[in-house]
Amino acid sequence: MSIPGAILRFLLIYVMLLLAAGAVVDWLGLDAGSGVNIGILCASVLWVCDAFGRRNGRYFSNGERNAVFLGMVIVDVAMQGGVTAAVLAAEEGPVDRGAVALGLLVVGLSHMVLIGVVVALSRRGLRRRGIVTD
């Protein structure tokens, strides 16, 4: 699997899991919480890192890891921004754009840290299972 392939796979998995979870939450009539989104983000990152290790028999090199990390962060922040823009477009009253920007910044930074942690932990899991040795 290539690095662009890993990033594309992340995008597809992340979007599909978010849509599926949204449909299930709506169908069950539950309130959607941020925990669902965080769980989906972790699962999507882990799934892609695991698939890369299994398919290539190795983990990302430092440069590849950085590229995948950055690609995942860009995809995540773009999706957060897109959803926020859609919500703002539907809003009829005044919106404090500074608060929205600050919220996006906080979410983006926290997701960035989480993606970095999961990418690092996935390597450990692949080693433990004997899939990669580096």
Side-chain angles (χ1 to χ4, degrees):
M1 174 186 310
S2 67
I3 300 307
I7 295 168
L8 179 61
R9 181 177 284 207
F10 171 75
L11 171 67
L12 295 174
I13 291 169
Y14 193 33
V15 168
M16 292 302 168
L17 288 178
L18 285 172
L19 291 173
V24 169
V25 165
D26 185 54
W27 182 68
L28 294 175
L30 302 173
D31 289 332
S34 63
V36 172
N37 187 21
I38 296 298
I40 289 170
L41 178 61
C42 290
S44 301
V45 172
L46 192 57
W47 192 343
V48 169
C49 293
D50 189 68
F52 182 91
R54 281 185 288 111
R55 180 156 301 170
N56 296 334
R58 65 178 180 84
Y59 198 66
F60 303 114
S61 69
N62 285 340
E64 290 171 334
R65 187 185 66 235
N66 293 338
V68 165
F69 167 75
L70 184 60
M72 289 178 175
V73 168
I74 289 169
V75 166
D76 178 62
V77 169
M79 288 183 57
Q80 300 299 329
V83 169
T84 301
V87 169
L88 289 177
E91 189 66 33
E92 294 183 15
V95 175
D96 184 352
R97 299 213 184 268
V100 171
L102 180 61
L104 278 173
L105 179 65
V106 169
V107 168
L109 290 174
S110 63
H111 282 201
M112 183 177 75
V113 169
L114 183 63
I115 290 169
V117 168
V118 174
V119 168
L121 289 176
S122 68
R123 180 181 205 166
R124 208 181 279 177
L126 287 166
R127 277 191 200 148
R128 236 183 249 140
R129 291 181 305 181
I131 294 171
V132 299
T133 57
D134 58 328

